[in-house]
Amino acid sequence: MGLFFRSKPKAQGMQPHKNWPWTLNTGGELWPGFDTWEMIVSELRELNLEDPDSFLILEQKDPQDPQNYWFIQSAVNRAGPHPGWYTVEVGWGSEQGMGLRDRDIRTVEEVIPFFRAAYDRKAVDLSGFEDMSGMLG
């Protein structure tokens, strides 16, 4: 008789979808169908405190149901416990519900790997992220 080890299933929607298209939102300007990693890095490096519209969102929507989505976003904290640090948020919505995780990170160099994993459609390491799902409506 053998023992079978099963990995714990991932919560529905917590990670980027393998087949949904990307849209890049830079300060409110949408870039659907963009295809360069370098654009993401460049835009992350340009985030700043002075511009209230300085943010970057890499997002996906299910082409069959726009109520299903996944995103990772970042901006520079203007206030709070870590002004000048970067906030990274990961969020999703599906029939099973919505979720939001949040983490403050000191430098853009530490932010980039989270976006790289997402862009490559790999698992984003959410350890150290705080569950902010209770703030969702």
Side-chain angles (χ1 to χ4, degrees):
M1 180 171 162
L3 296 174
F4 293 95
F5 295 95
R6 294 185 185 177
S7 62
K8 184 178 177 182
K10 294 178 186 171
Q12 181 76 17
M14 286 182 72
Q15 296 295 335
H17 196 277
K18 300 286 184 199
N19 299 316
W20 295 350
W22 287 117
T23 297
L24 187 63
N25 182 335
T26 58
E29 186 173 352
L30 296 178
W31 299 87
F34 80 99
D35 63 354
T36 65
W37 164 246
E38 292 77 19
M39 183 174 180
I40 296 171
V41 173
S42 174
E43 293 293 334
L44 283 170
R45 292 184 191 285
E46 290 181 21
L47 294 176
N48 65 75
L49 281 170
E50 291 76 34
D51 182 359
D53 290 327
S54 181
F55 62 84
L56 182 136
I57 306 170
L58 182 60
E59 58 189 329
Q60 299 178 302
K61 288 187 181 175
D62 180 346
Q64 304 304 315
D65 182 359
Q67 298 301 313
N68 294 329
Y69 60 88
W70 187 92
F71 69 84
I72 183 170
Q73 63 185 5
S74 188
V76 179
N77 292 330
R78 298 180 70 159
H82 301 291
W85 287 32
Y86 294 78
T87 292
V88 175
E89 292 182 335
V90 172
W92 60 89
S94 69
E95 292 175 1
Q96 289 75 31
M98 298 183 299
L100 182 67
R101 302 290 188 270
D102 178 88
R103 182 173 172 185
D104 288 338
I105 299 173
R106 186 178 300 265
T107 69
V108 72
E109 296 306 320
E110 295 169 287
V111 169
I112 291 171
F114 293 101
F115 278 81
R116 184 74 221 203
Y119 180 77
D120 288 342
R121 300 171 191 274
K122 295 181 179 175
V124 176
D125 180 4
L126 296 177
S127 60
F129 279 68
E130 185 176 349
D131 186 351
M132 305 297 284
S133 301
M135 297 179 64
L136 300 173

